[in-house]
Amino acid sequence: MNDKQEYTGLNKILKSQFVQTILDKIDDGTFSTFIEDWQWIFTFSRKYRRTILFYLILGLFSSTLGTISSVVSKYLIDIIVNRDTGSLGILIVAMIGSTVFSLTFSSVVSRLSTKISIYVNNDIQASIFDKIIDAEWLDINKYQYGDLLNRFNSDVSTIASNAVSWIPTVIIDIYSLITSFVVILYYDVTMAFIAFLSAPFLLLMSRYVMRRMSEYRKKVMEMNSKMMSFEIETFYNFDSIKSFGITSHYSKELRKWQEKYKKYNLDYNMFSIKTNILTSIISTGVGLVAFGYCLFRLWTGSITYGTMTLFLNQRSTLSSNFNSLVSVIPGMLNSSVSAHRIKELVDLPKEVHDPESLKEIMKEAYDGITVELKDVNFAYDGTNKVIEESNFIAKPNEIVAVVGPSGEGKTTMLRIMLGLVHPQEGKTVLYNKDGKPFDMNADLRQLFSYVPQGNTIIAGSVADNLRMVKEDATDEEIIEALKIACAWPFVEKLENGIDEKIGEKGKGFSEGQAQRIAIARAVLRDAPVLLLDEATSALDTDLEKEVLHNIIKQRPNKTCIVSTHRPSVLSMCQRIYRVKEGHITELQRNEINNLVEDLKDE
């Protein structure tokens, strides 16, 4: 395999990695994507265009003051060397004034740049967060959590740091480079040529540096995403890891990731050291040539000591501006890569919304809502069906059970009801008390209270966990919901009651207590339809029945759908469906006894 870079067209002479990247993009038709990425970035900074213009003007003004200050310094030095005090006062005032202005403006520019970068970062993050939240469930779940977090934080930060500053920085650096070169050229043509000696070397180095930086960034981004996913999964499954006694395995895994992290960073650090040494040698060599030339000119009396100082100062500025321009290129490419990664999230299919349907059905929603699945066929991958040619209905003032072994599709069925996933055939329909149908959409989820499988407790107080579904809930409403969920007896005994702090995933509570708090949260929501997905699995039989009785008494017209593989609540149900081998089948009363025996055996 030949990894040697091939250059095409005029770039065979320039041999620039950046130029070749652009040419390759033009050849393979992806240059338009590169432009689109940057157009997308600028949509976030567009609202700050006046501030950016102000930032640009300040930068140009600050650069001009810096050049003027250098020229004034030349004359000030010459006055002191020649003991000519006639204009000394004016020059000192000018020198101090230009220095103060330069410092003030550079500080303002720095502050302004930082503020804008934060604003843009927040704008992009907020926009992406909204897009992720509103993305189709299946599409967003294709991404690992670590990858999502890496894009959400690292990639956004990369874009924000360049979105505002890139164009102003380029313009300011070019302006400073030109003014420095013109000043040197005005006093000495040869010195101007010497000052530019380092440019070709730095240009040749930039293509190598950019290639290595690109390789490093790609590795780091991939590694960070994988490492973040590992960390999330580890801490999320902390109890299981400790219970199995496999903490040493995860410790070893962490050290493997750390070893990769160390290798990437030390390799890049060594690369940076070598690059800096080479750059310093080139810069020092050019500096010595310039210094030697200035000494020669000073020795022969062709220039003054002040002019020599001006030459050396402007040569350093010119070199610094050129380095700054070169460093913009990797940032621009990195931002394009990051923008493309983020756009993948932003462009994910969005959920279907219909606020008008919600407004209409809400007028009579609390008189009862009927939920129906009609002729549903569903497969996660589009081929292997999880639900096949199935129907289901649950009416107000009913407890409807969905039973069957784990892994047969009960949770999938509830996701279809909620509109989180969409069947390839068939649909979910809601009906108001008059029988008017409404096709399920994202807005109609407000009609549901949902208690999913697993621990859904968040870090915060007991009250925080309930108020997440009703921000303005009073303490009395929270306590009432806890009573209905049979959670108040143990919450009441806590030192701080409903204000007691809970750790992540309900640390300090048993599984049954955590389930009852999650049920209380759904009760507080008080939606017309309640979905319980194995939500009472950690409760004993009597407590399970008491919770369901309390929920029905809270609102007689509530539609309650209980997914379970336990037979204990079947006697309370008006309708029972069995999910098995992809089919949802309503059971007749003569089949229930057999079902109970089957469930006991399972």
Side-chain angles (χ1 to χ4, degrees), residues 6 52 63 79 184 266 275 277 298 310 335 349 375 395 409 439 449 505 532 547 566 578 591:
E6 294 185 4
I52 293 171
S63 177
I79 287 172
I184 299 174
L266 289 181
T275 302
I277 290 174
L298 184 64
L310 176 64
S335 292
D375 302 320
K395 299 178 180 180
D439 288 347
S449 289
K505 310 304 291 182
L532 301 176
V547 169
R566 300 170 65 185
R578 182 168 191 170
E591 299 176 282

Side-chain angles (χ1 to χ4, degrees), residues 328-486:
V328 165
I329 296 172
M332 188 175 106
L333 292 173
N334 288 339
S335 292
S336 176
V337 172
S338 292
H340 201 76
R341 282 165 51 84
I342 292 173
K343 281 175 63 183
E344 286 183 5
L345 302 181
V346 173
D347 294 338
L348 288 175
K350 303 301 177 289
E351 293 194 300
V352 175
H353 291 268
D354 185 1
E356 291 303 317
S357 66
L358 176 64
K359 188 183 299 184
E360 184 175 354
I361 198 173
M362 281 295 289
K363 294 175 183 177
E364 299 176 332
Y366 290 96
D367 291 323
I369 295 293
T370 297
V371 180
E372 182 178 16
L373 300 185
K374 301 179 67 174
D375 302 320
V376 168
N377 285 278
F378 175 78
Y380 283 103
D381 58 4
T383 55
N384 299 315
K385 290 184 179 179
V386 180
I387 304 292
E388 187 172 1
E389 297 179 359
S390 296
N391 295 278
F392 172 93
I393 192 167
K395 299 178 180 180
N397 201 24
E398 287 186 340
I399 298 178
V400 178
V402 181
V403 298
S406 297
E408 288 290 334
K410 299 192 300 296
T411 297
T412 297
M413 176 181 166
L414 297 186
R415 287 173 181 161
I416 294 173
M417 288 183 195
L418 288 165
L420 294 174
V421 296
H422 309 290
Q424 284 74 34
E425 297 177 9
K427 59 183 177 178
T428 301
V429 184
L430 307 184
Y431 300 89
N432 63 11
K433 70 171 186 177
D434 297 325
K436 183 174 181 178
F438 296 84
D439 288 347
M440 186 62 194
N441 61 74
D443 292 313
L444 295 187
R445 285 195 206 117
Q446 292 188 39
L447 301 170
F448 290 80
S449 289
Y450 178 45
V451 185
Q453 290 185 32
N455 192 323
T456 59
I457 304 302
I458 63 172
S461 67
V462 174
D464 290 336
N465 271 272
L466 270 67
R467 284 198 175 101
M468 65 185 289
V469 298
K470 188 178 180 182
E471 294 180 1
D472 59 349
T474 64
D475 289 356
E476 290 73 21
E477 289 176 315
I478 289 173
I479 291 172
E480 180 62 24
L482 290 168
K483 288 179 178 178
I484 291 173
C486 297

Side-chain angles (χ1 to χ4, degrees), residues 291-310:
F291 186 66
Y293 176 76
C294 287
L295 286 178
F296 171 75
R297 296 276 285 165
L298 184 64
W299 179 264
T300 59
S302 303
I303 60 172
T304 64
Y305 187 74
T307 303
M308 174 181 172
T309 304
L310 176 64

Side-chain angles (χ1 to χ4, degrees), residues 17-35:
Q17 178 70 28
F18 175 66
V19 172
Q20 191 60 48
T21 300
I22 300 298
L23 291 175
D24 290 342
K25 286 181 176 294
I26 292 174
D27 290 340
D28 62 20
T30 60
F31 183 69
S32 59
T33 303
F34 176 81
I35 297 300

Side-chain angles (χ1 to χ4, degrees), residues 98-117:
S98 64
T99 301
V100 170
F101 269 116
S102 181
L103 287 174
T104 301
F105 280 120
S106 63
S107 299
V108 170
V109 168
S110 175
R111 176 70 173 175
L112 190 60
S113 177
T114 300
K115 288 178 68 174
I116 295 174
S117 180

Side-chain angles (χ1 to χ4, degrees), residues 45-314:
S45 54
R46 191 172 296 145
K47 67 169 69 175
Y48 303 108
R49 56 184 177 274
R50 292 182 181 176
T51 309
I52 293 171
L53 179 61
F54 182 57
Y55 166 75
L56 175 61
I57 293 172
L58 284 180
L60 295 174
F61 192 44
S62 178
S63 177
T64 302
L65 286 177
T67 302
I68 293 173
S69 179
S70 295
V71 175
V72 171
S73 297
K74 162 199 158 16
Y75 287 106
L76 185 59
I77 291 171
D78 287 341
I79 287 172
I80 293 173
V81 170
N82 297 325
R83 301 179 183 277
D84 179 11
T85 60
S87 305
L88 182 60
I90 297 175
L91 287 172
I92 290 176
V93 171
M95 180 69 178
I96 294 174
S98 64
T99 301
V100 170
F101 269 116
S102 181
L103 287 174
T104 301
F105 280 120
S106 63
S107 299
V108 170
V109 168
S110 175
R111 176 70 173 175
L112 190 60
S113 177
T114 300
K115 288 178 68 174
I116 295 174
S117 180
I118 292 172
Y119 293 154
V120 174
N121 185 87
N122 290 346
D123 274 355
I124 298 174
Q125 275 198 332
S127 175
I128 292 169
F129 185 81
D130 291 341
K131 301 293 185 183
I132 291 174
I133 291 296
D134 195 40
E136 286 285 0
W137 187 88
L138 277 178
D139 292 287
I140 199 63
N141 273 274
K142 293 175 182 177
Y143 294 86
Q144 290 185 322
Y145 292 140
D147 188 28
L148 288 175
L149 287 174
N150 199 26
R151 293 176 192 235
F152 188 69
N153 292 294
S154 179
D155 286 318
V156 168
S157 178
T158 298
I159 291 172
S161 63
N162 288 285
V164 172
S165 62
W166 180 62
I167 289 181
T169 298
V170 169
I171 294 174
I172 292 169
D173 284 340
I174 291 175
Y175 173 78
S176 298
L177 188 147
I178 292 173
T179 54
S180 295
F181 182 74
V182 168
V183 168
I184 299 174
L185 188 64
Y186 175 79
Y187 288 100
D188 192 299
V189 175
T190 304
M191 184 61 196
F193 173 76
I194 294 173
F196 249 108
L197 274 179
S198 59
F201 295 101
L202 293 174
L203 187 62
L204 289 172
M205 280 187 60
S206 68
R207 64 187 179 89
Y208 172 70
V209 171
M210 285 172 55
R211 178 172 60 82
R212 291 298 300 273
M213 284 183 64
S214 178
E215 293 172 355
Y216 173 78
R217 177 171 173 76
K218 182 179 179 181
K219 289 180 179 178
V220 167
M221 288 171 68
E222 291 175 352
M223 185 197 69
N224 283 347
S225 292
K226 292 178 180 178
M227 189 169 184
M228 201 172 291
S229 293
F230 167 78
E231 292 166 352
I232 291 171
E233 290 175 355
T234 300
F235 292 122
Y236 184 83
N237 297 296
F238 194 61
D239 290 349
S240 298
I241 291 169
K242 290 182 71 66
S243 300
F244 278 110
I246 54 175
T247 54
S248 59
H249 168 75
Y250 278 83
S251 294
K252 292 176 182 177
E253 288 297 310
L254 175 64
R255 282 159 178 76
K256 288 180 182 178
W257 285 113
Q258 288 178 327
E259 189 65 28
K260 291 179 181 179
Y261 181 84
K262 180 183 73 173
K263 182 180 183 302
Y264 289 148
N265 281 275
L266 289 181
D267 287 348
Y268 183 71
N269 176 254
M270 181 57 67
F271 165 71
S272 299
I273 290 173
K274 293 177 180 178
T275 302
N276 290 334
I277 290 174
L278 184 57
T279 303
S280 297
I281 291 174
I282 294 172
S283 181
T284 301
V286 174
L288 288 174
V289 172
F291 186 66
Y293 176 76
C294 287
L295 286 178
F296 171 75
R297 296 276 285 165
L298 184 64
W299 179 264
T300 59
S302 303
I303 60 172
T304 64
Y305 187 74
T307 303
M308 174 181 172
T309 304
L310 176 64
F311 282 171
L312 296 177
N313 179 274
Q314 290 301 297

